[in-house]
Amino acid sequence: MRLDSVRILDLSRLLPGPYATQLLADAGADVVKVEDTDAGDYARHTPPTTDRGVGALFDSVNRGKRSVALDLKSGAGREAFYDLVEEADVVFEQFRPGVADRLEIGYETLVEYNEDLVYCSLSGFGQSGPYAERAGHDLNYVGIAGLLDMTREDEAMAPQIPGYQVGDLGGGLFAAFSIVGGLLSRELGNGGEYIDVAMTDVVASFSQAVSHEALTGGDPRPGETALTGRYPWYDVYETADGRYVTLAALEPKFWEAFCEDAGCEDLVDYHGSEDPAELEAVREELTALFAARTRDAWLDELSDEAMVGPVCTPAEALEHPQLEARGLIERPDDAPPRVGFPAVGSNVPERRDESVPGHGEHTDELLASVGYDEGKRAALRETGAIR
């Protein structure tokens, strides 16, 4: 899983695109942030800030990248970008549909400079359809995709905003997957390609557990499906200290193990029941049972087969010994701690560049690499075409 020789020109900003290219940078790709000459990536200036003086979000998803600052609205800035494209493997953009073409940096233009280019567009609703040009954020995408409706216990409750940006991060993850797929396809002799990823589409693809019913005349309701709280053996329960545990004993053997560990063997035979009265009785007994002890007391008592786990706060989660053991939480001496690359492999780079690029920090270095001498760079900087 090494992308050491791959160069990606990344035009994205904020969270979805930078998360995608952070994954690729962690796998060894040379990610070049192409920023405007004014403010650059807005996340640079978004609080809270780290002790490095940049926004914490920017710090989290832009490590080990380089930055070139170009005015793509100017002819000279675009020409410099075209020269960089000739040496690149991937161009990745996150503009609203039509913007890249208006800037003359769309796929049809850039493929004239690099016929083997993998070009990926990430947007909220994709490049086609009635919502294509609509502005949006994560909450809009998860709302349209059906996820938001299913976040509530039942229809009497209002939908709950997910604590993490599922559309943004899911879209970024799928964009990274698509880029790697495009690179592999090119290596197999199929040439470059254009990839259109919509964050809404990605969230909708997460609906596999309920999509059959939804597509065949039904309309799955929150709290009424097997994985949204219909059954008491797959639910969340409050404990004596006001915290919560998850119980996910879907299979009979795990339900039996839980009942034996928790001292409620009388409930074993109710597993699989569809009788509303029986389900409610089991739920009431479990509610009272879990409320009798603290979260950690339950976790200490129950076996690994009981299918019970903690509901962690973000701080608890990122300090959890399971994540620590996996090496997911990285605490370098020369940078703030961060959530690292979420895969373990025999050929994943172990030590990564933890620096974050200054705005346009590598403009001279990158342009020099494609033939721009000091005098030409100075002239471009004088006109404002580069920073």
Side-chain angles (χ1 to χ4, degrees):
M1 197 186 299
R2 297 192 72 99
L3 301 175
D4 300 44
S5 63
V6 174
R7 178 174 292 181
I8 300 167
L9 300 182
D10 179 11
L11 293 147
S12 70
R13 50 194 169 192
L14 295 175
L15 177 60
Y19 174 66
T21 54
Q22 184 65 71
L23 295 172
L24 301 174
D26 283 348
D30 175 17
V31 176
V32 177
K33 288 184 68 68
V34 182
E35 303 184 71
D36 62 59
T37 54
D38 186 15
D41 187 339
Y42 308 149
R44 288 184 177 277
H45 321 290
T46 302
T49 59
T50 68
D51 56 9
R52 297 203 275 199
V54 298
L57 176 62
F58 184 87
D59 197 309
S60 295
V61 293
N62 287 286
R63 300 194 187 197
K65 302 179 184 180
R66 297 192 285 173
S67 171
V68 58
L70 306 175
D71 179 6
L72 295 176
K73 295 180 180 179
S74 72
R78 281 195 301 276
E79 286 299 325
F81 181 66
Y82 296 155
D83 288 331
L84 291 172
V85 168
E86 290 181 353
E87 302 297 322
D89 298 286
V90 177
V91 169
F92 179 47
E93 61 94 359
Q94 194 187 305
F95 299 117
R96 286 168 66 179
V99 171
D101 287 334
R102 289 196 291 274
L103 290 172
E104 299 179 37
I105 57 170
Y107 175 69
E108 295 301 331
T109 298
L110 298 190
V111 77
E112 295 296 322
Y113 294 88
N114 185 339
E115 65 179 5
D116 290 326
L117 189 68
V118 174
Y119 190 113
C120 182
S121 296
L122 175 64
S123 61
F125 304 107
Q127 305 296 306
S128 59
Y131 273 33
E133 296 186 16
R134 179 177 289 218
H137 275 306
D138 185 88
L139 191 60
N140 304 117
Y141 313 144
V142 299
I144 291 173
L147 172 63
L148 198 61
D149 179 61
M150 299 296 281
T151 61
R152 45 196 174 146
E153 186 175 337
D154 55 51
E155 290 188 286
M157 296 179 62
Q160 303 297 300
I161 299 175
Y164 296 155
Q165 290 70 45
V166 179
D168 287 352
L169 297 168
L173 179 61
F174 198 83
F177 163 78
S178 298
I179 288 169
V180 172
L183 290 168
L184 175 60
S185 178
R186 189 182 68 176
E187 291 302 307
L188 293 173
N190 299 313
E193 65 179 295
Y194 176 75
I195 303 165
D196 169 12
V197 177
M199 288 178 260
T200 303
D201 292 355
V202 174
V203 179
S205 79
F206 294 163
S207 69
Q208 304 300 331
V210 297
S211 61
H212 176 75
E213 181 181 354
L215 291 169
T216 54
D219 192 11
R221 297 289 75 224
E224 296 181 10
T225 70
L227 301 179
T228 62
R230 173 177 175 79
Y231 300 116
W233 42 82
Y234 192 90
D235 210 340
V236 177
Y237 293 93
E238 186 173 4
T239 55
D241 52 351
R243 296 182 173 185
Y244 294 87
V245 292
T246 56
L247 172 62
L250 283 175
E251 297 85 355
K253 65 177 182 179
F254 294 123
W255 174 244
E256 183 175 349
F258 164 75
C259 291
E260 290 177 356
D261 283 0
C264 54
E265 292 91 341
D266 58 302
L267 300 182
V268 169
D269 293 338
Y270 289 101
H271 194 277
S273 173
E274 293 291 344
D275 183 277
E278 291 183 348
L279 294 177
E280 183 58 28
V282 172
R283 194 183 308 277
E284 288 179 359
E285 185 167 337
L286 291 177
T287 298
L289 182 71
F290 280 112
R293 299 179 186 176
T294 66
R295 184 193 69 175
D296 290 347
W298 278 115
L299 297 176
D300 289 341
E301 177 170 331
L302 298 174
S303 70
D304 291 344
E305 298 298 304
M307 298 292 273
V308 171
V311 175
C312 295
T313 67
E316 288 176 325
L318 299 182
E319 294 178 353
H320 197 282
Q322 175 62 28
L323 299 188
E324 289 282 359
R326 296 281 295 171
L328 182 66
I329 311 306
E330 299 178 355
R331 294 185 171 86
D333 294 334
D334 55 350
R338 68 145 168 167
V339 179
F341 191 68
V344 177
S346 60
N347 201 23
V348 176
E350 292 184 5
R351 176 60 182 166
R352 307 180 182 97
D353 181 358
E354 294 296 332
S355 65
V356 294
H359 184 197
E361 177 183 346
H362 304 93
T363 300
D364 287 309
E365 175 186 329
L366 287 158
L367 292 185
S369 73
V370 291
Y372 285 62
D373 61 25
E374 185 175 349
K376 189 172 184 179
R377 297 196 305 271
L380 288 175
R381 190 165 281 115
E382 183 70 23
T383 67
I386 68 172
R387 175 183 174 127

